[in-house]
Amino acid sequence: MGLADLHLHTIYSYDGTASLAAVLNRAKQLGLDVIAITDHDEIAGALKAMKLASNYGVEVIPGSEITTADGDLLAFFITEKVPAGLSLIETVLRVRELGGVCVAPHPMAGGMGMKSLSARTILEALRNPLVAETLIGIETYNGTSIDRISNHSANLLASSLNIAKTGSSDAHVIDTIGFGTTEFEGNTAADLLMALKNKTTKARRQNEWSAFRIIGSWGMRYMESAFVRLTGLAWA
């Protein structure tokens, strides 16, 4: 079985702290087969990571966490930016045009500036046949969400909709990469996509920190990354 972390942020996100090299190296250490770089409303880091991935033995899916008017949305297998601020339906259809697929991250979750899709918004969007063919999964375990109840609610929602379930870390620091993973048959990105479409993926909880530790770790790493940006020092 393959393991993937499908929700990772790097310094290409406004709130990310980890370099591409650090993310790839950590993924290799953890034995992940596939990762998705999903920086906020950005694609540049993911495209660069794809070029570096072979050096680490990890396959990278180019993606983005898109800020829709209704909440955040993960887009995978896209190589162009999708504009922020569109409705959920408009955004999913844009991703479809680019040949990608979507997953709803941390639905119904609150805290730490999360802009999550509501169950009602997801349900209404899925009534559109083209959206239903593209929005193929729900993140049922978010490894760094401080809203623990939302993971349970997301799992119930995915089960009721008979839609693929994914687990991810939503890591903004290298320390939390792999806290949540998606298990799938095979070990390549193509295998993962097939498993998502066939609804055979499994969300796995690998680790969990307290909200205090998550916030503290991010704060420390963010200060370090800010120092690096200001001084121009090389990333470790």
Side-chain angles (χ1 to χ4, degrees), residues 49-68:
M50 287 181 67
K51 296 177 181 179
L52 299 171
S54 61
N55 298 324
Y56 297 86
V58 178
E59 192 168 1
V60 172
I61 294 173
S64 180
E65 184 168 16
I66 305 167
T67 307
T68 82

Side-chain angles (χ1 to χ4, degrees), residues 173-232:
V173 299
I174 58 171
D175 314 74
T176 57
I177 291 173
F179 271 27
T181 59
T182 300
E183 185 179 286
F184 63 98
E185 190 74 34
N187 55 26
T188 69
D191 293 331
L192 172 62
L193 179 59
M194 182 64 68
L196 286 169
K197 290 182 176 180
N198 291 335
K199 309 180 186 72
T200 58
T201 53
K202 295 181 180 179
R204 180 191 289 184
R205 182 178 74 175
Q206 302 285 90
N207 200 353
E208 193 170 271
W209 281 356
S210 68
F212 178 79
R213 189 174 181 186
I214 291 171
I215 295 170
S217 176
W218 177 81
M220 180 183 69
R221 292 290 188 181
Y222 190 79
M223 291 296 290
E224 290 175 354
S225 65
F227 178 75
V228 169
R229 289 187 179 97
L230 286 172
T231 60

Side-chain angles (χ1 to χ4, degrees), residues 78-160:
I78 60 171
T79 55
E80 296 178 28
K81 286 176 64 171
V82 175
L86 302 176
S87 70
L88 173 60
I89 291 176
E90 289 175 305
T91 305
V92 172
L93 294 179
R94 290 287 187 99
V95 172
R96 180 184 176 84
E97 289 173 0
L98 294 174
V101 295
C102 301
V103 166
H106 49 72
M108 301 169 283
M112 289 186 68
M114 278 185 170
K115 301 163 186 167
S116 303
L117 295 167
S118 68
R120 180 177 179 179
T121 299
I122 295 171
L123 288 167
E124 289 178 349
L126 289 175
R127 290 176 185 149
N128 181 312
L130 295 181
V131 169
E133 290 179 3
T134 310
L135 178 51
I136 59 175
I138 289 178
E139 185 182 78
T140 58
Y141 182 74
N142 182 297
T144 53
S145 173
I146 63 174
D147 182 354
R148 304 300 187 199
I149 296 176
S150 65
N151 282 326
H152 178 65
S153 299
N155 187 57
L156 291 175
L157 177 63
S159 295
S160 69

